[in-house]
Amino acid sequence: MRRQLIVMVKEPRPGRVKTRLGRDIGMTAAAWWFRHQVARLLREVEDPRWHLSLAVSPDRAGLQSRVWPAHLPRLPQGPGDLGDRMGRLLRGEPPGPVCVIGADIPGIRAAHVARAFDALGRHDAVFGPAHDGGYWLVGLRRTQRVPTTLFDGVRWSSEHALDDTVRSLDGQSVALIDRLQDVDTVADLVR
């Protein structure tokens, strides 16, 4: 079964992406940072060991965007909170392991993604924890139906996001890989 890696991206428009960072450094600078961060990330994680695609937002603008590499397939994220959008992505791919990553983590390397897929050989789910209690990667082996309760009750953008998500998996086996830093504020950027 083919491994699928999905990178969640937003159109890098000032005031629409990385707004917490934008409050610190300006909305235009934050959008510029995000655009170049995503370009670097995509160069890093494009790898023949998995199929790479982009989950874009907003849907119409992202599907037509000239910002992202034209050769990469695009999927609309659709409406709802982060859990709704990730749930659709995880349920919508062909059978086999799927990992979804955020685009605002400068430390992601192809080796991290490879470790996640390797972990899915022995576990039902894998997470890449972030220092703030959230996570930069979620992956599912998908040998069984993705639970409809996945992401129920998750307190997004809080120190509880990872624990809440693991709880929503209702006893499935979970692996944790490397803890990485996402960038939400100028202090994160400095680190």
Side-chain angles (χ1 to χ4, degrees), residues 4-122:
Q4 305 282 328
L5 176 64
I6 301 171
V7 179
M8 296 184 79
V9 298
K10 284 184 179 179
E11 280 296 288
R13 294 184 185 156
R16 307 272 289 170
V17 66
K18 302 311 299 172
T19 54
R20 281 193 288 171
L21 177 62
R23 285 192 289 272
D24 294 338
I25 67 171
M27 295 298 174
T28 300
W32 181 91
W33 177 85
F34 184 74
R35 180 179 183 162
H36 292 278
Q37 159 58 26
V38 173
R40 187 214 55 80
L41 172 69
L42 295 177
R43 285 190 303 273
E44 179 64 40
V45 300
E46 192 166 6
D47 191 291
R49 293 175 285 180
W50 48 77
H51 179 262
L52 176 63
S53 57
L54 304 177
V56 297
S57 176
D59 295 350
R60 179 175 288 146
L63 291 170
Q64 298 171 355
S65 176
R66 294 184 182 168
V67 173
W68 312 126
H71 70 283
L72 292 176
R74 299 175 193 193
L75 311 161
Q77 288 185 24
D81 69 14
L82 182 59
D84 296 331
R85 291 177 283 136
M86 288 194 305
R88 270 192 303 279
L89 293 170
L90 289 164
R91 288 180 190 93
E93 288 299 300
V98 175
C99 288
V100 177
I101 62 174
D104 60 350
I105 302 89
I108 296 177
R109 301 291 179 263
H112 296 115
V113 175
R115 275 194 287 283
F117 281 119
D118 289 346
L120 288 175
R122 302 176 306 283

Side-chain angles (χ1 to χ4, degrees), residues 86 127 135 138 149-156 160-170:
M86 288 194 305
F127 291 91
Y135 47 94
V138 56
T149 57
L150 180 63
F151 305 121
D152 280 359
V154 174
R155 292 169 280 180
W156 298 111
H160 307 288
L162 176 59
D163 292 338
D164 290 348
T165 305
V166 170
R167 203 170 299 113
S168 79
L169 285 165
D170 197 27

